[in-house]
Amino acid sequence: MSTLAIHNTLTRRKEPFVPLVPGRAGVYVCGPTVYDYIHVGNARTFSVFDLVVRWLRATGLEVTYVRNVTDVDDKIMDRARARGEPIEALTERTVAAFEEDCARLLLVKPDREPRATRYIGPMVELISVLESKGLAYRAANGDVYFSVRDFPGYGKLSRRNLDDLRAGERVAIEAAKHDPLDFVLWKAAKPGEPAWPSVFGDGRPGWHIECSAMSARELGATFDIHGGGWDLQFPHHENEIAQSEGASGQPFVRYWMHAAFLNMGEEKMSKSLGNVATAREVLASLDPVQGGEQLRLLLLRGHYRSEITYTRELLDDAGNALRGLYTALRETPPADGPVDWTSPWAARFRDAMNDDFDTPVAFAVLHELRAEVNRTRSPALAGLLKGLGATIGFLQQEPDAFLKGGVTVDVAALIAERQAAKRAKDYARADAIRQELDAAGIVLEDKPGGVTEWRKK
RNA sequence: GGCGGGGUGGCAGAGUGGUUAUGCAGCGGCCUGCAAAGCCGUGUACAGCGGUUCGAUUCCGCUCCCUGCCUCCA
């Protein structure tokens, strides 16, 4: 029986997963900055860690899943100002939209969703500790900065050498910093901006300190898995390590995981290219019943450390694959019951998932199992297919409802008329009705015994 | 300039020193009034050039190409 191995960004190797506390796992994922809808790239990252959490639980671990909400940030203030909307109204509205998107993507709700604005106290405390250890300083402009060169391990996650960093090449260097690489922990209040009182004066936290403070509060100084998008390795996660380990003197994270990017067609998705697709606009273009799981499959069928491409064609492709799986479950109603992990399919599936969440191989097993279900019509094997799907958040909808999708037209009368025509051997009329329904996006399937089933095209 | 990830059959996407990945699409067959679904069958894929080896897509070197990060960024 295999055991879980995870690729650790810190060591760039797959390592056996050994939780800090046996039987338990703490997972922290950098969540959204709530100034706008999430895009499909964000959706990929969140889907990846949803998969991770589900699989950890499937292996029997008791997981505490924390995903933060960044609700104080320059982008939020800019957006609120541009819209003439109070900051809190903007963030509340965006959080609500985010939760809708997550629900449609079938993401499990995190156990804790700490919001930055409710953890200002812990952040200030953390900065004070850093200051007391000589790792933070108050600059002339009132800001508080982290002194990067005073933290010996800086760069160990992203494998960067301080002297190789091109500090300030793309951003104007703040003159108040002692070193261009230093990053802000506390920003002094400016007129018209939200501010909180602190020993450093009125102000607001920097982005990086949020995650250090909230993760420590929810999971402790050391915890098991910290996840995020590939681009967060530097500087965000590097800075988190500097803050958290600098303050606690303890190892911060045992396993760092980073989800690769989703590209739009041939290009990187970026605002400057104007090719950003929000999750909700993609979902709005899909069937209301099938779309969420369809997009989820597109996002998860590639390995999480490989870049994937988003195109309409690939989305259709994922929808077709999903339809095949659900068709098998419709034709052979699955038996209820726990997964029999001694079954060869289950064992192969588990081995794949344990091998650093190798979803491509796991889905290959599911597809082979689907064929076996179709051949044998075994409710037990159908139950296994559904049960394995459950461990990664797939195949849990009612098959017939899934296959019918969001079709709302009443087809019963036409199907009845066609069956009468068939009985009368009026095939011209029967085929005409079928073509009419086909034009409406409905496919008929004649079954033995004169039964006609239908599904969305 | 520094550091990193890749190039697999029409498309997507794993993996392996020698044996079918898998899916979607296509083609042929069975089934069907005809279809659909399903089942069966069907693809001399591993960027190029050298090297190691009995044997390399898989290891090593070089070349070409694509691509990410270097304080907005999932």
Side-chain angles (χ1 to χ4, degrees), chain A residues 208-398:
Chain A
H208 310 298
I209 199 71
E210 297 176 12
C211 287
S212 282
M214 292 189 282
S215 65
R217 195 79 166 193
E218 299 298 341
L219 295 171
T222 303
F223 60 94
D224 295 300
I225 295 173
H226 190 134
W230 197 258
D231 54 333
L232 259 34
Q233 285 173 52
F234 189 90
H236 185 53
H237 291 162
E238 198 70 70
N239 291 352
E240 282 188 51
I241 292 174
Q243 295 164 333
S244 295
E245 298 192 350
S248 75
Q250 319 259 336
F252 176 42
V253 168
R254 296 160 60 77
Y255 301 85
W256 283 95
M257 293 183 67
H258 292 95
F261 266 53
L262 172 145
N263 298 314
M264 294 297 285
E266 299 296 306
E267 306 170 310
K268 176 187 175 180
M269 183 165 64
S270 76
K271 289 178 180 126
S272 57
L273 288 169
N275 60 353
V276 174
T278 64
R280 59 179 41 211
E281 72 185 293
V282 169
L283 289 167
S285 74
L286 300 173
D287 182 273
V289 174
Q290 303 172 345
E293 192 165 352
Q294 181 181 354
L295 179 55
R296 179 179 171 88
L297 179 58
L298 174 68
L299 298 175
L300 293 178
R301 67 179 178 172
H303 187 89
Y304 78 91
R305 283 188 287 115
S306 296
E307 290 186 1
I308 59 172
T309 301
Y310 173 86
T311 64
R312 188 68 206 195
E313 290 69 32
L314 293 174
L315 199 49
D316 292 341
D317 183 278
N320 287 339
L322 199 54
R323 193 180 70 208
L325 292 165
Y326 268 113
T327 299
L329 293 177
R330 186 190 63 182
E331 299 304 308
T332 306
D336 288 329
V339 170
D340 172 14
W341 292 106
T342 64
S343 138
W345 287 284
R348 286 173 58 212
F349 181 90
R350 182 190 57 208
D351 290 348
M353 289 302 295
N354 276 343
D355 182 16
D356 193 31
F357 310 96
D358 193 348
T359 50
V361 171
F363 279 114
V365 173
L366 256 28
H367 280 111
E368 290 175 24
L369 180 54
R370 168 194 69 152
E372 186 68 5
V373 167
N374 284 330
R375 280 190 292 267
T376 63
R377 300 298 171 117
S378 159
L381 287 180
L384 181 62
L385 177 59
K386 185 178 178 184
L388 291 177
T391 66
I392 55 175
F394 284 93
L395 305 181
Q396 299 309 295
Q397 300 186 59
E398 204 284 306

Side-chain angles (χ1 to χ4, degrees), chain A residues 35-82:
Chain A
Y35 69 103
D36 204 346
Y37 302 133
I38 61 164
H39 58 242
V40 288
N42 299 307
R44 184 196 188 183
T45 297
F46 297 137
S47 298
V48 162
F49 290 102
D50 176 82
L51 179 94
V52 167
V53 167
R54 285 175 185 269
W55 184 248
L56 291 173
R57 287 179 174 150
T59 64
L61 293 166
E62 190 177 320
V63 178
T64 302
Y65 175 25
V66 181
R67 186 184 61 206
N68 74 291
V69 171
T70 294
D71 59 356
V72 52
D73 179 85
D74 286 334
K75 288 194 291 290
I76 294 172
M77 295 187 302
D78 292 346
R79 181 64 59 92
R81 196 176 297 120

